[in-house]
Amino acid sequence: MEINTAHMPIREQLDDAETAESLARLVGRAKDIEHLVERAVQANNAADGLLATVADVIDEQCEKINQSGTSVEERLGSLASLFLKVTEPEAVSALSRLVDRLPQLEEASRLLDEVPNLLAIATDVVDEYAANFKSHGVELEKSISQGLHALLWLGCRVSEDELERLGFLLRSDVLDPHALQVVGQAATALANCQRETCEQRTPERIGMLGLLKALREPNLQRTLGFGVRFAKCFGDLNGQTSNESASSQQQTNNLQ
């Protein structure tokens, strides 16, 4: 049977065998208890020092914030307002979509990092072209300015019908290299004829005998052959055009 010694006098409690055994155990652990107490005191002192350091750091940062013209309370209020806005359902949904697109944003950011290199390459290419044009006597900047001015000037003076006719002209054989060669040669011949004949005080005259004599020249014979061939080709094309026009007119009459 266990004896309750709580209500016994102090002397009787000290004389009790269980109490003496408990006191003996406490005395045996006195050093351990003292060591634990010392550790607790050291931890408490360290905690006090850490808290003091943290407090000093916080005070220093608060002082810097106050010196910047904005109080800590205002910044905390702004932070709380920002937190409320961020936690709104619409903001959370937008942030979720943004997080889902982070790989695309990373790729776009990488491409943006390459933009300066691309611009540098484009600048080098333009500089090379400008130097090449300049070596041929062409000023690139002036040429571009005058070209744009010419386009704007022409655009103000050409109607839509004229542009359509110009397009038809460009699609035709007028600008064919052979046609241009013939036109160039004809222009040169006209210029030479103007200088050698028409500009003289007494123009050169030729009669039938002179014409017959000139017909024996190879170059004149070649020119006459060219003229006859041109007349034949032009007649063939003119005949085809007339037949197509007649056929189109007949189809129109049949529809009516």
Side-chain angles (χ1 to χ4, degrees):
M1 180 177 178
E2 184 179 358
I3 301 175
N4 187 4
T5 60
H7 300 287
M8 294 175 61
I10 297 298
R11 184 179 296 278
E12 293 180 1
Q13 291 181 16
L14 293 175
D15 294 337
D16 184 69
E18 293 182 357
T19 302
E21 184 178 358
S22 297
L23 290 174
R25 287 197 301 269
L26 287 174
V27 171
R29 296 293 180 88
K31 292 184 178 180
D32 295 336
I33 294 173
E34 182 180 2
H35 184 65
L36 291 175
V37 171
E38 290 179 355
R39 280 193 169 184
V41 172
Q42 292 176 357
N44 187 24
N45 293 333
D48 292 340
L50 180 61
L51 290 176
T53 303
V54 172
D56 293 339
V57 172
I58 293 175
D59 291 339
E60 182 179 358
Q61 295 300 322
C62 291
E63 183 64 24
K64 290 181 179 180
I65 293 174
N66 291 328
Q67 291 177 358
S68 65
T70 305
S71 64
V72 178
E73 291 78 6
E74 291 178 356
R75 294 202 176 190
L76 291 176
S78 300
L79 182 61
S81 177
L82 178 62
F83 178 76
L84 292 176
K85 291 180 180 179
V86 170
T87 55
E88 289 180 356
E90 295 82 1
V92 172
S93 178
L95 289 174
S96 178
R97 292 193 300 270
L98 181 62
V99 170
D100 293 337
R101 289 174 173 78
L102 284 180
Q104 291 84 350
L105 292 176
E106 182 180 2
E107 182 67 19
S109 177
R110 189 175 62 82
L111 293 176
L112 287 176
D113 293 336
E114 295 295 330
V115 167
N117 295 331
L118 296 176
L119 290 177
I121 294 173
T123 302
D124 293 338
V125 172
V126 172
D127 291 340
E128 182 178 356
Y129 273 103
N132 188 21
F133 282 128
K134 189 174 183 180
S135 64
H136 291 80
V138 178
E139 296 183 7
L140 184 61
E141 183 178 356
K142 184 177 180 180
S143 300
I144 293 175
S145 176
Q146 292 180 348
L148 291 176
H149 179 74
L151 287 175
L152 295 175
W153 181 88
L154 185 63
C156 294
R157 288 163 175 78
V158 178
S159 63
E160 186 175 353
D161 294 337
E162 291 172 339
L163 284 176
E164 186 176 355
R165 289 194 293 270
L166 181 60
F168 178 77
L169 177 65
L170 294 175
R171 291 191 299 270
S172 66
D173 292 334
V174 173
L175 300 179
D176 185 88
H178 299 289
L180 292 176
Q181 183 180 3
V182 172
V183 172
Q185 291 174 350
T188 303
L190 287 173
N192 292 335
C193 180
Q194 172 69 21
R195 288 192 299 268
E196 296 175 0
T197 304
C198 300
E199 291 182 357
Q200 294 182 3
R201 180 174 299 178
T202 303
E204 182 182 0
R205 298 181 181 182
I206 187 171
M208 291 298 298
L209 293 177
L211 179 61
L212 291 174
K213 182 181 179 180
L215 289 175
R216 289 182 294 179
E217 294 182 2
N219 291 333
L220 183 58
Q221 292 176 356
R222 187 180 296 109
T223 303
L224 291 175
F226 176 84
V228 172
R229 181 64 182 172
F230 171 77
K232 185 178 183 304
C233 292
F234 185 76
D236 294 340
L237 293 174
N238 194 19
Q240 292 178 3
T241 304
S242 300
N243 293 333
E244 291 176 358
S245 299
S247 177
S248 178
Q249 184 65 31
Q250 184 64 33
Q251 291 178 359
T252 303
N253 294 333
N254 293 334
L255 292 175
Q256 293 178 352

